[in-house]
Amino acid sequence: MMEEGTIKRCRCWFNGISLFLHPLIITVLIISMCMANIGNVDAAFSNLTTIPFNQGYSPLFGDGNLVRSPDGKGVRLLLDRFTGSGFISSNLYNHGFFSANIKLPSDYTAGICVAFYTSNADVFEKSHDELDIEFLGNTEGKPWRFQTNIYGNGSTNRGREERYRLWFDPTRDFHRYSILWTPQITIFYVDDVPIREVERREEMGGDYPSKPMSLYTTIWDASNWATSGGKYKVNYKYAPFVAEFKDLVLDGCPADPIQQIPAAEACAEKYALLATQDYSVITPQRRAAMRRFRQRYMYYSYCYDSLRYPVPPPECVTIAAERARFKDTGRLKFGGSHKRQSKRRTRNRNRVLPDSDVTPY
């Protein structure tokens, strides 16, 4: 949405030359300038420092199914009937900002999971921490869905899942997915839209991730749960399935998981730098976009799953209007906004919606 101040600035800029130009030309120039301004409203994700694959990552498994781009700045992960594939950051990090432009496989993708996450399960097997973005494939013609999750100190029995749809087709082009993890807050982003915010509460205890973690990216066969609870499996007739990654960002404090120096001391300078970055602040505009995203595209939240959690976990901030849209199972009620949009798309199935038609902004 164009802000009033932007419109006024655009009009004022042309006041001095309006007497010399045809009104139609003035109108076109004003629109062009204002649209350019809108594109620069949020520059937090346009000036990120990216690194080549070999500088920050190494293969995790399925080496033969990991294909580096010619310029060394990206990688393709393949899943075939023999194996999936994945890569891992060369270091563990005491908090940081982790991000990548990702393009998902198209057509029939049921049973597939493409994961972008931080974890330390290889180091702390019984008390690991984890922050997840997991993309869940679907049958042909149906959209990808995805979920976020957070674990701390091995609290896997207290999952904190949220599930969503996207407002664009993630198989048509690259989109940026990011995780900001600090000692006080965790924010998940899709492009420049914050979709979930978890503030550390004292009542959470060890459930908030606090130990050094690596960044993982994988594609694998999750037929037993990824699509409709395991109803639809991976069909290798459509293999290989290819997920693409580029413009990789690792902006954190490298750490030794068994170091003796407290993280607050060893990483004080990096923490201060992270706090100054634009993506560390949810501006009013971003918060409004997050609210609209969650209203339109979130279809499950553990915070509203009263059968699973009769008392919501301490970090949950429940909103009455949002709660009214969900069943006791935490799933969206039948006939909610997602259902209405589905019907609308059915009526207009021959029309391809541009991303701008449905963006949270």
Side-chain angles (χ1 to χ4, degrees):
M1 181 179 294
M2 190 180 303
E3 296 182 0
E4 183 179 353
T6 300
I7 297 173
K8 288 181 179 178
R9 287 193 298 273
C10 294
R11 287 174 177 168
C12 292
W13 192 86
F14 284 98
N15 280 345
I17 62 171
S18 61
L19 295 176
F20 304 98
L21 297 176
H22 189 281
L24 180 58
I25 296 177
I26 293 175
T27 300
V28 171
L29 289 173
I30 290 176
I31 291 174
S32 299
M33 179 181 172
C34 293
M35 291 304 292
N37 187 286
I38 290 173
N40 294 325
V41 166
D42 194 338
F45 294 86
S46 62
N47 299 313
L48 298 175
T49 300
T50 62
I51 60 173
F53 179 82
N54 288 341
Q55 185 175 320
Y57 308 88
S58 58
L60 179 64
F61 69 99
D63 293 18
N65 279 0
L66 187 153
V67 182
R68 294 170 176 82
S69 63
D71 61 7
K73 296 180 180 180
V75 65
R76 291 184 173 189
L77 295 183
L78 281 65
L79 167 66
D80 57 29
R81 66 179 64 255
F82 302 105
T83 183
S85 53
F87 61 88
I88 182 175
S89 61
S90 303
N91 292 313
L92 288 91
Y93 293 89
N94 263 323
H95 307 96
F97 180 76
F98 312 95
S99 184
N101 269 324
I102 303 174
K103 185 179 179 182
L104 298 175
S106 59
D107 301 321
Y108 186 97
T109 55
I112 295 174
C113 179
V114 176
F116 181 82
Y117 66 104
T118 63
S119 178
N120 49 33
D122 290 343
V123 180
F124 304 100
E125 294 183 9
K126 296 182 179 181
S127 59
H128 84 281
D129 305 308
E130 193 168 314
L131 295 167
D132 297 322
I133 298 178
E134 295 176 311
F135 303 96
L136 309 177
N138 217 330
T139 55
E140 191 168 7
K142 293 186 178 181
W144 279 82
R145 303 191 176 204
F146 75 109
Q147 67 180 21
T148 60
N149 210 339
I150 176 171
Y151 297 115
N153 205 33
S155 58
T156 55
N157 63 326
R158 295 186 295 279
R160 291 169 159 85
E161 304 97 333
E162 289 188 346
R163 287 195 174 189
Y164 328 86
R165 296 180 306 107
L166 289 162
W167 66 94
F168 53 81
D169 182 349
T171 72
R172 287 173 57 185
D173 203 352
F174 285 90
H175 287 269
R176 181 164 291 282
Y177 305 89
S178 311
I179 302 172
L180 172 66
W181 171 47
T182 77
Q184 295 82 30
I185 196 168
T186 296
I187 304 174
F188 296 89
Y189 279 96
V190 175
D191 289 330
D192 58 359
V193 178
I195 63 164
R196 181 178 181 182
E197 175 187 31
V198 180
E199 291 188 30
R200 184 174 193 169
R201 302 286 182 87
E202 185 178 349
E203 296 85 352
M204 292 181 71
D207 283 5
Y208 187 87
S210 59
K211 298 185 293 295
M213 292 192 282
S214 298
L215 186 282
Y216 293 78
T217 300
T218 59
I219 182 171
W220 54 289
D221 186 330
S223 291
N224 62 330
W225 66 274
T227 307
S228 299
K231 180 179 180 181
Y232 300 101
K233 315 293 184 183
V234 174
N235 186 339
Y236 287 101
K237 178 179 72 174
Y238 298 93
F241 304 97
V242 182
E244 301 179 65
F245 304 82
K246 67 177 185 177
D247 304 324
L248 306 166
V249 177
L250 279 177
D251 190 6
C253 181
D256 182 338
I258 57 174
Q259 66 181 355
Q260 300 299 315
I261 303 175
E265 178 182 342
C267 299
E269 185 175 344
K270 173 55 71 173
Y271 290 171
L273 182 61
L274 277 176
T276 66
Q277 302 304 306
D278 287 343
Y279 49 68
S280 294
V281 180
I282 299 184
T283 63
Q285 182 188 22
R286 288 182 187 157
R287 192 163 295 282
M290 180 168 66
R291 183 175 64 252
R292 284 190 290 271
F293 171 85
R294 296 174 68 81
Q295 289 173 347
R296 298 175 185 178
Y297 302 106
M298 184 173 71
Y299 67 92
Y300 172 81
S301 173
Y302 72 104
C303 288
Y304 299 121
D305 191 341
S306 58
L307 298 182
R308 186 179 181 186
Y309 297 111
V311 177
E315 73 280 3
C316 286
V317 178
T318 57
I319 302 171
E322 196 170 86
R323 176 188 287 277
R325 298 170 48 247
F326 290 87
K327 302 176 183 178
D328 291 343
T329 58
R331 296 187 66 86
L332 197 69
K333 289 181 178 178
F334 179 80
S337 61
H338 304 292
K339 189 68 176 179
R340 288 197 299 273
Q341 185 175 61
S342 176
K343 289 181 178 178
R344 183 169 65 251
R345 287 187 174 179
T346 301
R347 290 196 299 269
N348 296 280
R349 63 181 59 154
N350 293 325
R351 180 189 175 212
V352 177
L353 294 177
D355 290 354
S356 60
D357 280 3
V358 289
T359 176
Y361 283 115

